[in-house]
Amino acid sequence: MEIKQLESTKGFVIYDLPNAGTYVGPTRLGAKLIPGNAEMLVRHQTYVFGLTEQQKSGATIGLKVDASDAEGAVVALAEELTDEFESQRLLTNPGLRLSEALLAPVLRHDKRNPIAKAERDGVTFEDELVALGAVTCASRFVKPNGTWKVAIEGFDQSGLAIAREVENHGGKVHRISTAKGCVSGDFDSSTLADTWMDSGADCVEKLGPVGKPWEIWNSDVDAVFVGSKPGAMSGDGATSTNDTPIIATSAAAISSKALAILRKNKVPVAADFLSRVGPTLAWWASEETSPDVLRSSTTETVIGLLEETVDHDDGPFMAACYKAEAFIESWQEKRPFGRPLG
């Protein structure tokens, strides 16, 4: 993993694998950013590419400035790394504290299929593909023969997309959590959409009595989606969910301690870098490719990967790691140290 310090503004770029033709990852903003806290974000994307057998690598850009200096920092970044952005060697998207508009001087070079950012009734198509991958994993683990119930940790725009896909697969959302707490009930996606768009993280207060955030790990559901931040599921959370299948939906959402507990208890865990393969299938697709075709491609790819990994003796998460690593080792001199865990 190479860390390059920017010269034109305070900040850095992390490139995961050497000699990749393309590096992909978010640009984040914050005066206190440190490279070490971003390494698993980078590794997550590298493993997504490994699973889908693409000779590409994860990356990230950190702009170590205050929000008041963001515009100037982005302009400086765009000028300093013009060659990398224009050549498509380095591709990025707005991450922490950044927006599409603010990052526009960089994003104007990005030639990936714009369908990924298309708005789909309050979520992006990229959110929709992630949700489709995650719910495909959940339904494979749960194998529902009737209505099934889920919990969504860290409910946000992506959580709304998950709620819609759960409904499409015959399930219901029984519990959600945000930074403001946790709420239980029987929530349809329309209600969740209205309250989220009106109130953001405060939506839980509009949906019912608010409990403690850790109640999201109660084991009275058929699957739990985890995706608020790296390490969102701790060892305590893993213990509380008992044998409920866990679906990671954002980079390194499962901590290493949580994974150890879940594996010991033989709980199926879908890796974040498996549930999130959909966007990579859309980024370089022809612009004539329809959303329906990309949805079908995502479903087929996820099902195929699950068939290869779900029954492995070490569990589906580790099996997905092994598969990604086997491809990485086929074109790298050695496998990078460290798996994408929080």
Side-chain angles (χ1 to χ4, degrees):
M1 190 173 286
E2 176 191 359
I3 301 174
K4 173 184 176 181
Q5 297 298 320
L6 296 172
E7 298 178 357
S8 59
T9 187
K10 293 180 180 178
F12 55 85
V13 185
I14 302 177
Y15 305 88
D16 195 2
L17 303 179
N19 304 315
T22 304
Y23 293 87
V24 181
T27 297
R28 302 160 69 238
L29 177 75
K32 296 182 179 180
L33 292 181
I34 58 175
N37 289 344
E39 289 179 358
M40 287 303 102
L41 301 179
V42 174
R43 187 59 44 80
H44 156 85
Q45 189 60 58
T46 295
Y47 272 53
V48 173
F49 289 137
L51 269 188
T52 51
E53 298 188 348
Q54 300 181 60
Q55 290 188 10
K56 299 180 175 74
S57 170
T60 192
I61 301 169
L63 297 177
K64 297 188 63 172
V65 299
D66 292 322
S68 58
D69 298 319
E71 185 174 351
V74 170
V75 171
L77 170 70
E79 292 178 354
E80 180 175 343
L81 300 183
T82 294
D83 290 345
E84 293 200 50
F85 294 135
E86 285 187 342
S87 68
Q88 308 299 288
R89 180 175 184 265
L90 180 58
L91 299 169
T92 191
N93 59 278
L96 183 68
R97 303 187 186 95
L98 285 170
S99 64
E100 295 270 342
L102 197 53
L103 201 57
V106 170
L107 299 179
R108 66 187 181 88
H109 300 294
D110 195 331
K111 296 178 181 177
R112 285 178 290 179
N113 191 335
I115 194 173
K117 298 301 181 184
E119 198 272 339
R120 304 268 285 185
D121 195 16
V123 304
T124 66
F125 187 54
E126 189 168 298
D127 292 328
E128 185 177 315
L129 292 179
V130 171
L132 179 59
V135 176
T136 299
C137 290
S139 61
R140 175 63 176 81
F141 292 161
V142 175
K143 298 179 180 177
N145 54 14
T147 301
W148 52 299
K149 300 187 300 182
V150 308
I152 304 175
E153 184 271 339
F155 189 86
D156 57 7
Q157 179 174 297
S158 298
L160 174 55
I162 291 170
R164 289 172 175 164
E165 291 299 334
V166 167
E167 285 186 349
N168 290 342
H169 285 71
K172 290 185 177 181
V173 177
H174 177 62
R175 183 176 295 115
I176 68 168
S177 71
T178 71
K180 299 294 185 177
C182 180
V183 63
S184 300
D186 287 313
F187 307 119
D188 61 75
S189 62
S190 295
T191 299
L192 291 171
D194 290 343
T195 52
W196 168 255
M197 292 176 188
D198 287 345
S199 305
D202 291 327
C203 66
V204 292
E205 298 172 356
K206 306 292 180 64
L207 293 168
V210 179
K212 300 298 183 182
W214 55 80
E215 292 175 13
I216 194 68
W217 310 124
N218 289 353
S219 59
D220 57 344
V221 293
D222 297 297
V224 179
F225 296 90
V226 184
S228 64
K229 61 183 179 180
M233 172 168 263
S234 66
D236 289 341
T239 300
S240 299
T241 54
N242 293 330
D243 60 353
T244 305
I246 305 300
I247 317 298
T249 60
S250 69
I254 308 296
S255 71
S256 56
K257 184 174 182 180
L259 181 63
I261 292 170
L262 294 167
R263 288 183 61 201
K264 181 180 179 181
N265 294 336
K266 300 188 182 304
V267 178
V269 182
D272 46 280
F273 53 91
L274 195 161
S275 66
R276 295 187 65 89
V277 300
T280 70
L281 305 177
W283 288 340
W284 292 282
S286 165
E287 291 195 21
E288 287 73 39
T289 309
S290 71
D292 285 345
V293 168
L294 290 170
R295 282 181 58 90
S296 294
S297 177
T298 296
T299 300
E300 291 169 5
T301 300
V302 171
I303 289 174
L305 291 169
L306 287 170
E307 289 302 316
E308 292 186 59
T309 58
V310 73
D311 293 322
H312 196 283
D313 289 344
D314 291 340
F317 189 103
M318 291 304 301
C321 287
Y322 301 152
K323 180 171 175 58
E325 290 157 6
F327 180 76
I328 292 169
E329 289 170 345
S330 75
W331 67 282
Q332 290 282 304
E333 290 187 6
K334 60 180 180 179
R335 173 168 64 87
F337 177 77
R339 291 176 171 134
L341 291 163

